[in-house]
Amino acid sequence: MTDANPIDSAPPAAPEMTGEGLFHDWSNEALVMALEEVRQHNDGLYRETDMLEKYLKRVEPKETPTARRSSVAQDSKVRRKSRSQVEKLLRLTTEQKCDIATRELEELRDEIDKMTEKCEQILDSHRAALEEADIRLAEMKKASYEFERDILRGAINHRTGKVSAERVARYIEDKLRSRDALMEKLRLKNSTLKVQKKKLQLQLKQKEEMGEVLHEVDFRQLQIENKQYQSKIEERNQELLRLKLKAGNAQQVLNSYKKKLHVITAESTHLNGEIKQRHDLLDRIAIETEVVEKDRGVAEHIYSQLKRQLADFRVPDVLDYVGERAKLYDILKTVKSWERKVEIAQMALTTHKKRWKQMQMQSHQLNPWNALQGIPL
């Protein structure tokens, strides 16, 4: 709530000048700024006036018709006074404005608390109505299902194809008995709750007499402490959530490292197997190398002998070579003929062996005494 008038900052002008002459020297931007300041100042004054009216309506008693007429007459008198005198009479000090604003703020907070409590009560009643409706809907669905199961499908007479009236009457009687039992149960529960209510009221009355009842100040204090504890709980929950997120990230990193370790372990096992195979291959290669070295030594010895023989070799004459080749051919022919003779002799030997075995078999069959004496064939 400000007391400054934005028009006071405008350039001074003579009082006899008209409105057109007053703002004649001002630029358009200065006029727009001055108009905006006047609007803001008027908005502030409107808000202050509304707050003051609410405060006066709440604090001052209602005006009677006589007081209203007197106030109207006073207003007419005040209007006849000069503008400076009216502002001087109606302007409030800064302390008064702060006091009024503080009281209105407290009143607004109380109204908000009352409205919140009322809304919570309405919300609780609506929730209770919804819960009751859900319970009734579930009971109706259950009753409909049981009626369809027991009556519409289970009580049909197979001969006539109609519902048995006795079954329907028995079903209705059972439902009425169960409903009566439920009403009796609820009545007993209601009486028990009434007794508990009386006990609690008696205890509350005793505490009031002993001075142990919480007053409004204590209740406000408990509310403040509850809000503080709620804020601490919220902070701890946020911290717990952060720790859970950190734990989840750590678990993900650990799982990734476990996967990498598993892959590396499998690769290490594979590499160890390959290393073992390579060592075995190296051992075999070393053994083969020793054998090859031995063979190389023998081959070098043979090579040296052949080299010496080649150095001592003298090419024979052509006639000697032809004579030797002719002898070789003759020898080969002789070898082939002897091989053929050997084959013929082996065939004859095989034939003679077969005939000898046949003769032994015949002689054994003709003289069974040899068989009794154990003479072999």
Side-chain angles (χ1 to χ4, degrees):
M1 302 175 74
T2 58
D3 297 332
N5 192 348
I7 301 176
D8 296 339
S9 60
E16 65 272 13
M17 293 179 66
T18 60
E20 185 178 358
L22 178 63
F23 302 104
H24 181 71
D25 297 335
W26 287 28
S27 63
N28 293 331
E29 295 180 356
L31 290 172
V32 171
M33 292 176 64
L35 180 61
E36 187 65 26
E37 289 178 356
V38 170
R39 286 179 179 175
Q40 292 179 0
H41 181 67
N42 290 335
D43 292 338
L45 291 176
Y46 286 144
R47 287 193 292 269
E48 291 177 1
T49 305
D50 292 337
M51 185 180 295
L52 183 59
E53 288 179 356
K54 292 179 181 178
Y55 177 75
L56 292 175
K57 288 180 181 179
R58 184 172 54 84
V59 175
E60 294 181 354
K62 293 183 178 179
E63 294 181 350
T64 60
T66 307
R68 190 178 296 111
R69 285 195 297 269
S70 64
S71 63
V72 171
Q74 187 177 2
D75 291 339
S76 62
K77 291 178 181 179
V78 169
R79 288 193 189 97
R80 285 192 293 269
K81 293 181 180 181
S82 62
R83 181 178 178 183
S84 61
Q85 292 177 351
V86 172
E87 289 181 355
K88 191 173 183 180
L89 290 173
L90 297 179
R91 184 169 295 176
L92 299 175
T93 62
T94 306
E95 295 178 356
Q96 292 175 347
K97 292 178 181 180
C98 291
D99 189 14
I100 293 171
T102 305
R103 291 185 181 181
E104 289 299 318
L105 182 60
E106 292 177 356
E107 187 68 22
L108 182 61
R109 287 177 180 174
D110 294 337
E111 290 180 0
I112 291 171
D113 293 337
K114 290 179 182 179
M115 186 63 68
T116 304
E117 185 177 358
K118 186 177 179 181
C119 293
E120 288 178 356
Q121 291 178 358
I122 295 171
L123 185 61
D124 291 337
S125 63
H126 288 322
R127 286 176 181 172
L130 287 174
E131 289 178 0
E132 184 179 1
D134 292 336
I135 292 171
R136 289 186 178 180
L137 181 61
E139 290 178 354
M140 290 175 62
K141 288 182 179 179
K142 183 179 179 182
S144 176
Y145 172 75
E146 291 178 354
F147 182 78
E148 184 179 0
R149 182 191 62 189
D150 297 336
I151 303 302
L152 297 180
R153 289 184 295 179
I156 296 175
N157 193 346
H158 298 286
R159 184 172 59 83
T160 60
K162 296 181 179 181
V163 179
S164 177
E166 296 178 356
R167 295 283 296 274
V168 175
R170 194 181 307 115
Y171 176 81
I172 294 172
E173 289 176 357
D174 293 338
K175 288 294 180 181
L176 290 175
R177 280 196 296 269
S178 63
R179 184 60 58 88
D180 293 337
L182 180 61
M183 289 173 63
E184 184 65 21
K185 182 179 179 181
L186 292 175
R187 187 183 64 80
L188 294 174
K189 187 176 181 181
N190 191 15
S191 62
T192 304
L193 291 175
K194 285 181 179 179
V195 172
Q196 291 180 359
K197 182 180 178 181
K198 288 181 180 179
K199 288 182 180 179
L200 292 174
Q201 288 178 353
L202 182 60
Q203 291 178 2
L204 183 61
K205 187 176 180 180
Q206 291 177 358
K207 288 183 178 180
E208 287 178 355
E209 292 176 355
M210 296 175 64
E212 296 179 359
V213 182
L214 293 175
H215 298 286
E216 186 178 0
V217 178
D218 299 330
F219 184 70
R220 292 290 180 86
Q221 184 67 25
L222 290 175
Q223 284 183 342
I224 294 171
E225 292 179 357
N226 188 17
K227 289 181 180 178
Q228 292 177 356
Y229 288 135
Q230 288 292 336
S231 63
K232 289 182 180 179
I233 291 171
E234 186 67 24
E235 291 177 358
R236 296 297 175 84
N237 289 332
Q238 293 294 331
E239 186 177 359
L240 180 61
L241 182 61
R242 288 195 297 271
L243 292 175
K244 284 183 178 179
L245 292 175
K246 289 182 180 179
N249 295 330
Q251 187 66 31
Q252 291 179 357
V253 174
L254 181 61
N255 291 331
S256 63
Y257 283 144
K258 283 183 178 179
K259 290 180 181 178
K260 290 181 180 179
L261 179 62
H262 181 70
V263 173
I264 292 171
T265 305
E267 187 177 358
S268 176
T269 305
H270 179 68
L271 291 176
N272 288 328
E274 288 187 355
I275 290 170
K276 187 177 180 181
Q277 292 177 0
R278 296 294 175 84
H279 282 302
D280 296 337
L281 181 62
L282 286 175
D283 294 337
R284 290 198 298 272
I285 290 172
I287 295 171
E288 291 178 359
T289 304
E290 292 179 358
V291 174
V292 170
E293 287 293 333
K294 291 180 181 178
D295 294 339
R296 186 177 65 83
V298 174
E300 287 180 353
H301 180 68
I302 294 172
Y303 175 74
S304 60
Q305 290 180 355
L306 292 174
K307 193 174 182 180
R308 285 196 300 271
Q309 289 178 2
L310 184 62
D312 297 338
F313 178 73
R314 294 292 181 272
V315 180
D317 294 335
V318 177
L319 294 176
D320 294 336
Y321 176 73
V322 173
E324 294 293 332
R325 292 289 295 177
K327 290 180 181 179
L328 178 62
Y329 288 147
D330 294 336
I331 292 170
L332 290 174
K333 288 180 180 179
T334 304
V335 169
K336 287 183 178 180
S337 63
W338 280 106
E339 287 178 353
R340 183 63 181 168
K341 290 179 180 179
V342 169
E343 289 178 357
I344 293 170
Q346 287 180 351
M347 294 174 62
L349 178 61
T350 304
T351 304
H352 291 313
K353 284 182 178 181
K354 289 181 179 180
R355 288 180 180 179
W356 175 248
K357 287 182 179 180
Q358 291 177 358
M359 291 174 64
Q360 286 182 347
M361 291 292 293
Q362 291 177 359
S363 64
H364 185 69
Q365 291 177 356
L366 293 175
N367 191 6
W369 179 256
N370 294 331
L372 292 176
Q373 290 181 354
I375 297 173
L377 295 175

